[in-house]
Amino acid sequence: DGGITQSPKYLFRKEGQNVTLSCEQNLNHDAMYWYRQDPGQGLRLIYYSQIVNDFQKGDIAEGYSVSREKKESFPLTVTSAQKNPTAFYLCASSPSGSRAEKLFFGSGTQLSVL
Amino acid sequence: AQKVTQAQTEISVVEKEDVTLDCVYETRDTTYYLFWYKQPPSGELVFLIRRNSFDEQNEISGRYSWNFQKSTSSFNFTITASQVVDSAVYFCALKSLSSNTGKLIFGQGTTLQVKP
């Protein structure tokens, strides 16, 4: 079945440590996105990529980095510069990134600080 | 500025009751899309509906219905005869056509609890 796979489901970060969240899709979608969800808040866009080897900052990119070396993969690294990383992270994709398309979401990664 | 407001943080109903989730949006654009997503406890957001700003028709799909009113910038969602399986967080979202990306502006979400 086609879909978006995020791993791990739960992740713990120590102070000063970088951690990487995995996002893989087999939907053959060009566009991929990372959103952050905090309790009682909506989703906020961290980074997005509309094509391989290209990505743009979203609304809250500070303290995060991404890469898009393959169409199916869009990993997110939470760096030590992100002082409040505890949140639920959702990866999404869409066929071409055009304005009318709906997003398809993964099941998320819960990141917590030890 | 674009904004989506879901004023209801949490709603609790008893099974078989009807429930309406409110969504109010702000945008300067004349052309845009509105979405509703459902987030069950598993975490994944599930797409429910998409409407464009040109189409103010109300829509019904089974127990779900949506009331889009451009005059009041609202896109409300009603569940008729609610069921326990409807318990989830529901998000309203806006996508402006002035943006050439798939970026969505989300509301804060409404947590719906349906008790048996």
Side-chain angles (χ1 to χ4, degrees):
Chain A
D1 288 339
I4 300 175
T5 302
Q6 288 188 243
S7 62
K9 183 72 173 175
Y10 300 96
L11 187 58
F12 297 91
R13 193 191 91 166
K14 296 179 181 179
E15 291 288 338
Q17 186 182 42
N18 292 354
V19 292
T20 298
L21 284 62
S22 171
C23 178
E24 303 277 333
Q25 54 99 356
N26 61 3
L27 299 168
N28 199 33
H29 286 175
D30 284 324
M32 298 186 74
Y33 311 81
W34 275 105
Y35 282 87
R36 169 177 170 145
Q37 182 180 7
D38 293 281
Q41 297 188 35
L43 282 66
R44 293 179 291 168
L45 183 65
I46 305 172
Y47 268 98
Y48 63 97
S49 167
Q50 292 186 273
I51 197 168
V52 175
N53 293 322
D54 186 47
F55 49 83
Q56 286 79 40
K57 293 182 179 179
D59 299 321
I60 55 166
E62 186 174 350
Y64 300 97
S65 66
V66 293
S67 63
R68 187 84 188 278
E69 298 176 1
K70 297 186 298 182
K71 186 176 185 177
E72 58 270 23
S73 179
F74 191 40
L76 173 73
T77 296
V78 184
T79 74
S80 57
Q82 172 50 245
K83 299 306 179 186
N84 185 23
T86 297
F88 190 59
Y89 291 85
L90 283 157
C91 179
S93 71
S94 64
S96 66
S98 75
R99 297 162 291 184
E101 291 172 341
K102 66 181 183 183
L103 299 185
F104 295 77
F105 284 85
S107 56
T109 293
Q110 175 64 51
L111 176 61
S112 302
V113 176
L114 291 176
Chain B
Q2 298 176 51
K3 186 178 179 181
V4 176
T5 302
Q6 295 178 252
Q8 304 150 307
T9 304
E10 294 184 20
I11 300 176
S12 181
V13 299
V14 176
E15 202 169 22
K16 297 184 183 178
E17 284 185 17
D18 298 347
V19 57
T20 295
L21 283 60
D22 298 332
C23 173
V24 175
Y25 62 92
E26 296 175 28
T27 180
R28 292 179 183 174
D29 294 327
T30 56
T31 307
Y32 49 87
Y33 281 85
L34 295 164
F35 299 77
W36 275 95
Y37 282 87
K38 174 183 179 180
Q39 185 180 40
S42 60
E44 177 180 348
L45 266 72
V46 178
F47 168 79
L48 295 176
I49 191 171
R50 172 184 56 208
R51 300 304 299 275
N52 70 57
S53 53
F54 295 122
D55 187 359
E56 289 192 67
Q57 265 189 327
N58 292 332
E59 184 161 336
I60 299 174
S61 175
R63 296 184 297 107
Y64 297 168
S65 62
W66 290 268
N67 183 0
F68 174 35
Q69 293 197 347
K70 211 167 180 178
S71 60
T72 56
S73 296
S74 65
F75 186 41
N76 297 336
F77 172 34
T78 297
I79 302 175
T80 303
S82 60
Q83 299 176 2
V84 173
V85 293
D86 295 327
S87 297
V89 182
Y90 291 85
F91 290 98
C92 181
L94 166 71
K95 184 187 293 186
S96 169
L97 266 64
S98 64
S99 164
N100 60 0
T101 73
K103 175 183 175 180
L104 290 175
I105 307 296
F106 284 88
Q108 303 93 317
T110 296
T111 300
L112 173 64
Q113 184 182 29
V114 181
K115 299 177 181 177

